[in-house]
Amino acid sequence: MANVENDVGDSGNQVTIGQAVASELDRLLATTVAPGLYFVATPIGNLGDVSLRAISTLAGVDRLFCEDTRISRRLLERFGINRRLSVYHEHNASEVRPEILRELAAGRSVALISDAGTPAISDPGFKLATAALDAGHQVVPVPGPSAVISALTVSGLATDRFLFAGFLGQKSTQRRQQIEELSTIPATLVLYESPHRLNGCLRDLADVLGPRPAAVAREITKRYEEIKRGSLSELADWADDVAARGEITIVIGQSKAAAVEEVSDDLIESKLAAILNDHPPARAAKLVAADLGVPKSRVYDIGLKLKQEN
């Protein structure tokens, strides 16, 4: 590719960035999209994050499916793509999926986009991918923006091992049970959450997981982007006082104590024995859990057993 400069020089070998980008896009647009199912990542906020390959794929496939035509139409119009959109989402997936498979069987190219980010992440796209692969069709990624990866990279927490757990349950009881299941995983945790449940979710996370470091990322790449960092309890207090809006991703660090060594039941018992006479079981469990960085429920169960034995 020709040498790219930030400004136009006197040499005929220099080209502007705009000319280089246009040339590459022209090359991609002139290439026929091969048959197969394309999962095309689209911006999660800033439309400037769309890739040249995404633009050329959306313009060149035989059929294009999206979650919401109103949202996707804005993206297409921004880049001069005028074409028919078909709808594929969680409410019609079982009816539309066979239609897409017929298109693929006929040797056509089909692209799927979500309202924002990468398809198949917390949406029904994974079922379509499975069905297409089972039928022997090509499934091709066109990578790009992802709220999970974006939040993780700016969280300040470990990125070498992480688990994406999607949305937790809407009710506190179900949510706490799910958090308990996640508490022993030796990795950074990444969750999605809606604004109106943020404070309740953070409070449950703080109660079950203890004082783990965490970050709340909202409106990533948008005008009011905000990354709030602190312990889970600090973030829960913050969320009680703010009216959070927009798309929210929560990133939770691994327990420091668990990362160094497994905390034994004997150590928990000794810590509890020292304070159980001065505090009720629930309060004692909370204090010890915070001190050792282990789930409160585990400490509470050991505390009840210790009370019974005494």
Side-chain angles (χ1 to χ4, degrees):
M1 180 179 290
N3 185 39
V4 176
E5 300 288 343
N6 287 328
D7 57 339
V8 180
D10 295 332
S11 172
N13 292 327
Q14 293 180 326
V15 295
T16 65
I17 291 176
Q19 289 172 328
V21 170
S23 176
E24 177 63 13
L25 183 56
D26 285 343
R27 184 189 69 80
L28 291 170
L29 288 170
T31 303
T32 302
V33 180
L37 175 61
Y38 293 78
F39 280 9
V40 183
T42 55
I44 55 179
N46 190 323
L47 294 184
D49 292 334
V50 70
S51 72
L52 298 183
R53 186 176 171 215
I55 293 173
S56 64
T57 302
L58 297 180
V61 289
D62 297 315
R63 293 288 303 277
L64 177 55
F65 288 81
C66 66
E67 281 189 89
D68 188 325
T69 57
R70 295 167 299 180
I71 294 174
S72 296
R73 184 70 65 194
R74 289 198 293 270
L75 173 66
L76 298 185
E77 289 176 349
R78 175 68 172 268
F79 297 100
I81 302 172
N82 183 20
R83 61 171 308 152
R84 177 174 173 267
L85 285 166
S86 301
V87 177
Y88 179 86
H89 50 58
E90 61 179 337
H91 302 297
N92 73 349
S94 58
E95 291 79 21
V96 178
R97 196 177 303 122
E99 176 187 350
I100 296 177
L101 293 175
R102 286 194 295 270
E103 294 282 2
L104 294 172
R108 298 188 177 92
S109 57
V110 179
L112 177 69
I113 58 176
S114 60
D115 287 345
T118 302
I121 305 299
S122 286
D123 72 27
F126 81 94
K127 295 181 179 179
L128 177 59
T130 300
L133 290 169
D134 288 345
H137 303 302
Q138 282 279 82
V139 178
V140 183
V142 181
S146 167
V148 175
I149 301 302
S150 299
L152 180 65
T153 55
V154 298
S155 67
L157 301 171
T159 59
D160 57 332
R161 179 185 295 179
F162 68 92
L163 173 76
F164 173 59
F167 286 92
L168 298 181
Q170 297 185 20
K171 296 184 178 180
S172 180
T173 302
Q174 180 189 16
R175 196 160 53 219
R176 284 174 177 256
Q177 181 180 350
Q178 293 170 329
I179 296 170
E180 284 284 358
E181 294 170 354
L182 295 170
S183 66
T184 58
I185 294 174
T188 300
L189 305 176
V190 187
L191 312 171
Y192 283 162
E193 191 51 278
S194 61
H196 68 278
R197 291 200 303 265
L198 178 61
N199 55 347
C201 180
L202 287 171
R203 190 63 63 189
D204 286 342
L205 287 165
D207 287 346
V208 177
L209 298 179
R212 293 196 189 187
V216 174
R218 72 176 195 90
E219 294 290 80
I220 299 176
T221 77
K222 298 180 183 178
R223 180 178 181 182
Y224 297 107
E225 175 181 287
E226 180 180 22
I227 314 295
K228 187 72 176 178
R229 302 174 182 86
S231 69
L232 283 170
S233 57
E234 290 171 341
L235 291 173
D237 292 340
W238 164 78
D240 286 339
D241 299 326
V242 299
R245 297 180 180 178
E247 304 296 329
I248 293 173
T249 306
I250 303 173
V251 186
I252 307 158
Q254 184 181 349
S255 166
K256 292 182 179 178
V260 177
E261 60 180 347
E262 179 64 28
V263 178
S264 68
D265 287 356
D266 290 341
L267 177 58
I268 294 175
E269 285 187 13
S270 66
K271 292 277 188 179
L272 282 171
I275 64 173
L276 265 176
N277 290 332
D278 299 321
H279 300 282
R283 176 62 179 168
K286 185 174 183 179
L287 292 173
V288 173
D291 181 36
L292 297 179
V294 296
K296 177 184 172 184
S297 60
R298 179 187 173 194
V299 181
Y300 185 75
D301 289 342
I302 293 175
L304 289 180
K305 180 182 177 182
L306 196 60
K307 275 280 191 181
Q308 292 171 354
E309 291 175 351
N310 292 336

